[in-house]
Amino acid sequence: MNNLATLQRIETAPDDWTERQRQVLDATLSLLIENAANITMIGVARRASCSKETLYKWFGDRDGLLVATVRYQASKVKVEPFDAEGMSEAKLTSVLLGFATDLLTILTGEISIALNRLAIAQAHQGADGINMGSIVLQNGRFSTGPRLKPALEAGMKAGLLRQSDSEDAFRSFYGLVVRDVHIRVLLGDTMMFTENEISTEADRAVQQFFHLYGA
Amino acid sequence: MNNLATLQRIETAPDDWTERQRQVLDATLSLLIENAANITMIGVARRASCSKETLYKWFGDRDGLLVATVRYQASKVKVEPFDAEGMSEAKLTSVLLGFATDLLTILTGEISIALNRLAIAQAHQGADGINMGSIVLQNGRFSTGPRLKPALEAGMKAGLLRQSDSEDAFRSFYGLVVRDVHIRVLLGDTMMFTENEISTEADRAVQQFFHLYGA
DNA sequence: CAATCGCAGTACCGTACGGTACGGTACGCG
DNA sequence: CGCGTACCGTACCGTACGGTACTGCGATTG
């Protein structure tokens, strides 16, 4: 990951799109969901009822539009801050459950699937600068980790969890939550996922995690 | 997964390629590894030192060539049979360790990454029949599961593992082994993976699995 | 009202690629 | 030798798409 500097630079560039521009990005997203592979400029223009010239003016080129779309979507997910003070077993459990539920809900959602497909498809051909894979990684996996870590560390401090590397603990938790779900949905396996099933899966993962890392 | 019938039909069609045809498929693979996205017929023809006409004659069309390549690669991985008789703790541990090591080695290998990228990229647009996602799923995730299950069930029978659904146990084991590795490498995260690191990861996963499912 | 701006719509261009056709060559066989 | 077969190399065609330029229209501003 030598793109951290690049990503920082991008991060500082504000995503202050106008309403109309957000409409265009939403149109791109909807098209992406329908078929992430065959996305064309004329297709986006038609869907958004705008001209190709406008697309090029606003986003530079095709890649710019796609990157903007990915980052726009990323900017839509809110991260609610979390206070690590006064950690109790009930609270830790609730935080873990919420995290697992959110993660499964997002990963199996059509938007996440479409964007991951897009990013994976061209993760290798990042000849010139920005490649979408790192952006998705940053806003996906690499943003969820640091978000949960404080809770894990607070849990260790409070004697609820065994002392261990919190990064490693998080990765194991991630594995217990996601298992083979992500790769299966990405490859087109149409797994049914009701709210109930996700909740059950989250429960299981949290229980297993406490088995492994509980004090 | 309504493609099982389709896959069966494909499975019965023999992959008895000639030596020359295998050379072409290997050339396709090598090109796929370099850049899974920009693969063209003329590119393959040049790399394989054959004519486009021959490609079309042998593989029908571009999709046929890609599918043949995926299935050709799948046919290369040997599955060594496994006898579930006389299961001991040492043997079960060894089987699990071997499985975990193989899985991590394959998933982080460039061939697997290239093929998964290709399959994921167009997993959604399977307008006409065969989509590569299901093929990769069948030869990847869905072939490893049934391969390990007998060992898990023998372990349960021998009282080494808690009684539980072997599919569920396998999926948890899979999660503990793979964690976030697969999605990260697919998205272009260049994780270093030496043999030693893989071995360490496999050890950890097996230990954790016994913690969760050991009797 | 006139000048300007933003943008939709569309025509246009260059190129890349999938797919086809054809010429040329090597080889096997009667 | 003549014929067929297999195949390489390449020219060719149609199309799709990225990107650019131009036109027209409605809104804004002075």
Side-chain angles (χ1 to χ4, degrees):
Chain A
M1 296 275 38
N2 56 354
N3 321 55
L4 262 177
T6 308
L7 283 161
Q8 288 296 352
R9 181 163 50 74
I10 296 170
E11 203 63 37
T12 59
D15 290 311
D16 47 358
W17 305 112
T18 66
E19 176 57 29
R20 181 75 181 108
Q21 286 169 330
R22 279 195 292 272
Q23 285 176 13
V24 171
L25 293 175
D26 277 323
T28 311
L29 264 181
S30 76
L31 223 45
L32 230 36
I33 289 167
E34 288 172 21
N35 190 338
N38 307 4
I39 193 152
T40 68
M41 298 302 275
I42 183 64
V44 172
R46 274 202 267 263
R47 172 67 59 96
S49 290
C50 73
S51 72
K52 276 170 65 178
E53 194 170 23
T54 301
L55 293 182
Y56 286 104
K57 192 173 183 182
W58 286 347
F59 306 105
D61 57 4
R62 184 173 180 276
D63 245 35
L65 172 62
L66 295 181
V67 169
T69 305
V70 171
R71 306 199 56 243
Y72 166 63
Q73 170 61 24
S75 77
K76 286 202 290 191
V77 305
K78 290 267 182 304
V79 279
E80 59 218 69
F82 151 82
D83 60 331
E85 300 309 309
M87 181 53 74
S88 67
E89 184 171 354
K91 188 170 175 184
L92 180 58
T93 305
S94 140
V95 168
L96 291 177
L97 271 179
F99 179 89
T101 307
D102 288 352
L103 185 58
L104 284 174
T105 306
I106 289 177
L107 289 191
T108 59
E110 52 184 7
I111 298 182
S112 159
I113 293 178
L115 292 184
N116 274 278
R117 286 214 178 111
L118 179 69
I120 287 172
Q122 52 99 72
H124 198 53
Q125 58 177 327
D128 56 333
I130 306 126
N131 80 326
M132 245 162 294
S134 52
I135 298 179
V136 172
L137 263 182
Q138 284 300 326
N139 296 293
R141 162 66 183 84
F142 290 159
S143 79
T144 55
R147 197 140 66 86
L148 192 60
K149 260 189 198 172
L152 296 179
E153 279 158 11
M156 292 178 196
K157 208 165 190 175
L160 300 168
L161 297 176
R162 263 194 309 103
Q163 289 295 330
S164 63
D165 177 31
S166 67
E167 170 73 7
D168 204 64
F170 169 74
R171 293 183 64 207
S172 286
F173 183 50
Y174 184 97
L176 286 171
V177 172
V178 175
R179 305 208 287 193
D180 60 355
V181 167
H182 206 182
I183 188 61
R184 282 173 68 175
V185 297
L186 285 177
L187 281 170
D189 191 0
T190 60
M191 307 176 76
M192 204 76 66
F193 263 107
T194 66
E195 258 184 59
N196 264 338
E197 284 169 312
I198 286 183
S199 167
T200 306
E201 286 287 281
D203 273 333
R204 171 201 49 77
V206 171
Q207 273 192 1
Q208 289 180 325
F209 180 70
F210 273 117
H211 258 274
L212 288 179
Y213 286 86
Chain B
M1 297 271 36
N2 56 354
N3 321 56
L4 264 176
T6 309
L7 283 160
Q8 287 295 353
R9 180 164 50 73
I10 296 169
E11 204 63 36
T12 58
D15 291 310
D16 47 358
W17 304 112
T18 67
E19 177 56 28
R20 182 75 182 106
Q21 287 168 329
R22 278 194 294 272
Q23 285 176 14
V24 171
L25 293 175
D26 277 323
T28 312
L29 264 181
S30 77
L31 223 45
L32 230 36
I33 290 167
E34 289 171 21
N35 190 339
N38 307 3
I39 194 152
T40 67
M41 299 302 274
I42 184 65
V44 172
R46 274 204 269 262
R47 173 67 58 95
S49 291
C50 74
S51 72
K52 277 171 67 176
E53 193 169 23
T54 302
L55 292 183
Y56 285 104
K57 191 174 182 181
W58 286 348
F59 305 104
D61 57 5
R62 185 173 178 274
D63 246 36
L65 172 61
L66 295 180
V67 168
T69 304
V70 171
R71 305 199 57 240
Y72 167 63
Q73 170 62 23
S75 77
K76 286 203 289 192
V77 306
K78 290 269 182 302
V79 279
E80 61 219 67
F82 151 82
D83 60 331
E85 300 308 308
M87 180 54 73
S88 67
E89 183 170 354
K91 187 170 177 184
L92 180 57
T93 305
S94 140
V95 168
L96 291 178
L97 271 179
F99 178 89
T101 307
D102 288 352
L103 186 57
L104 284 174
T105 306
I106 289 177
L107 289 191
T108 59
E110 52 184 7
I111 298 182
S112 158
I113 294 178
L115 292 184
N116 273 278
R117 287 216 178 108
L118 180 69
I120 287 173
Q122 52 99 72
H124 197 54
Q125 57 176 325
D128 56 333
I130 305 127
N131 79 326
M132 245 164 294
S134 53
I135 299 179
V136 171
L137 263 182
Q138 283 300 327
N139 295 293
R141 161 65 183 85
F142 290 159
S143 79
T144 55
R147 196 142 65 87
L148 193 61
K149 260 189 198 173
L152 296 180
E153 280 159 8
M156 293 177 196
K157 209 164 189 175
L160 301 168
L161 298 176
R162 264 196 304 106
Q163 289 295 330
S164 62
D165 177 31
S166 68
E167 170 73 7
D168 204 64
F170 169 76
R171 294 183 64 208
S172 286
F173 183 51
Y174 183 98
L176 287 170
V177 172
V178 175
R179 304 206 287 191
D180 59 357
V181 167
H182 206 183
I183 188 62
R184 282 174 66 175
V185 297
L186 285 177
L187 281 170
D189 191 0
T190 59
M191 308 176 75
M192 203 77 67
F193 263 106
T194 66
E195 257 183 60
N196 264 339
E197 284 169 310
I198 286 183
S199 167
T200 305
E201 285 287 281
D203 273 334
R204 171 201 49 78
V206 170
Q207 273 191 1
Q208 290 180 325
F209 180 70
F210 272 118
H211 257 275
L212 289 179
Y213 286 85

